Amino acid sequence: MGVTYKYFGAPDGATAARVPISMRPEELGGDELGHGMFTRIKPETMAAMVLTGIEGIPLHKVPPLELVVLRSDYAVVKLPMAVVDPLRGIGEESVGAAAFIWSTVPDRGGPRDAFDVYQLLHEWQDFSHRLHEAGHQPYCLVWP
């Protein structure tokens, strides 16, 4: 089995740090996990794909993730807003172009189907809109 990633929004690092403890949004006073996304795509990969594929930022200038919590059985990292903000303003042509580019980059599992990447980017676009509307920051819960 591999590592699972749960992307979610939270108003601040303190709230994000409490998410793994309860895993119950109603205890946190919001919907931090209710509209999150499960995936096997690493946050570093997502950041690099958005910032290089959509924003044109060189890979070596992609900002690092911020570690919020590190425990023996999970971790929480904060993604830069620059990873989700650009997705709100792009159209279909940019999403399609980024999906095609990303689909040609081999990863451990080989190149991905461009349509699958296209659908993933649309999920991330929706996620970006939800974060913006809630005034939340993007976080990722990582556990084996």
Side-chain angles (χ1 to χ4, degrees):
M1 293 187 76
V3 174
T4 301
Y5 305 96
K6 171 77 176 194
Y7 293 92
F8 65 97
D12 54 52
T15 303
R18 290 194 313 270
V19 165
I21 296 167
S22 73
M23 295 299 286
R24 298 180 62 179
E26 64 274 7
E27 293 177 6
L28 298 167
D31 196 17
E32 288 83 2
L33 286 169
H35 295 294
M37 300 185 308
F38 280 104
T39 183
R40 293 219 180 261
I41 298 174
K42 296 189 292 188
E44 309 82 56
T45 302
M46 200 62 217
M49 190 283 305
V50 169
L51 295 176
T52 60
I54 293 173
E55 290 291 287
I57 295 173
L59 193 55
H60 69 279
K61 292 197 176 188
V62 172
L65 304 175
E66 178 184 324
L67 183 63
V68 177
V69 173
L70 178 61
R71 301 279 191 258
S72 61
D73 55 343
Y74 68 87
V76 174
V77 295
K78 179 181 178 188
L79 286 78
M81 284 304 289
V83 173
V84 291
D85 281 347
L87 292 167
R88 285 199 326 273
I90 64 171
E92 286 297 309
E93 188 174 305
S94 295
V95 172
F100 175 75
I101 291 167
W102 196 22
S103 73
T104 64
V105 177
D107 58 18
R108 282 187 242 176
R112 295 178 55 110
D113 180 78
F115 186 70
D116 290 343
V117 176
Y118 175 81
Q119 289 178 309
L120 173 73
L121 285 173
H122 271 292
E123 288 178 32
W124 271 85
Q125 249 185 337
D126 292 343
F127 182 56
S128 177
H129 285 289
R130 290 192 308 268
L131 286 176
H132 181 72
E133 290 166 7
H136 285 182
Q137 302 288 315
Y139 293 90
C140 184
L141 173 60
V142 181
W143 72 93

